[in-house]
Amino acid sequence: ERVRIYAPRVEGSINLVGARIDDIELKDHRATVDQDSGPVQLFSPQGTQGQHFAQFGWVGEGASLPDGQTVWQSDGGTLTAGTPVTLTHDNGEGQQFRIALSIDENYMITAEQTVANTGEGPIVARPFATVTRTDAMASLDTWLAHSGPMGVFGDSADYGPDYDDLAEEGTVNPEGGTTRWIGFSDIYWLSALVPQNGSNPDGAFRALDDTTFRADVIYQPATVGAGRQVTRT
């Protein structure tokens, strides 16, 4: 139920249950200064001590949509810098969902989400992407370097709230304009979602509980007529 990731600077795997990228190691960086230390584990599956992962999906009306328990099909066994992988799901009601994944020679993963409607009537679909993580393994937030929720909205960067603020408020919708990117920083690492240019998505930070937090991007609703498809990247 996993697709391997093997790129020049990262390796790991994709969970086909829920279409989650939840296993990423940084090949170039050890977790500690010890010579025999293992690599930095940036992404880890839900339920683990350092849970931290990206997920892709849809919300909408008029169709059965894949969810966190959907088992996706893959057209390849390994995602490499030269070999993209496409995940597919057919809901059996006339809609096909695809997530085409590619990775560059560094750290950037591109996810192209497509819903194709071969049914008789239109559906409404909103693609979304999320990054979920725990603060249990987070770096200490200092005045020299921010650790926590952050992003660029409109023309300015937003370095707040911190995890405690987010746990208290529940949901924070950043002000400032269009979401350019949104995610979580540590002192050395950043996990972020970069939405498609010109798409004007909604972005938000959410507390799922007192120690688990999510950054999300959700695109505007798209009506997908019979015989049509919509893609967001």
Side-chain angles (χ1 to χ4, degrees), residues 59-60 124-127 202 218-224 230 232:
V59 294
V124 176
R126 299 186 72 181
D202 295 326
I218 182 167
Y219 292 94
Q220 300 305 317
T223 299
V224 188
V230 170
R232 296 289 182 267

Side-chain angles (χ1 to χ4, degrees), residues 16-40:
L16 291 179
V17 178
R20 291 179 177 175
I21 301 174
D22 63 357
D23 172 25
I24 293 286
E25 292 181 350
L26 305 181
K27 291 181 175 181
D28 298 340
H29 303 280
R30 296 194 302 270
T32 73
V33 296
D34 295 336
Q35 289 288 341
D36 58 353
S37 169
V40 169

Side-chain angles (χ1 to χ4, degrees), residues 41-70:
Q41 184 78 31
L42 185 62
F43 278 12
S44 297
Q46 183 178 20
T48 62
Q49 183 182 19
Q51 60 180 324
H52 193 169
F53 54 89
Q55 188 168 7
F56 308 92
W58 287 261
V59 294
E61 302 172 358
S64 296
L65 304 171
D67 58 23
Q69 302 305 311
T70 298

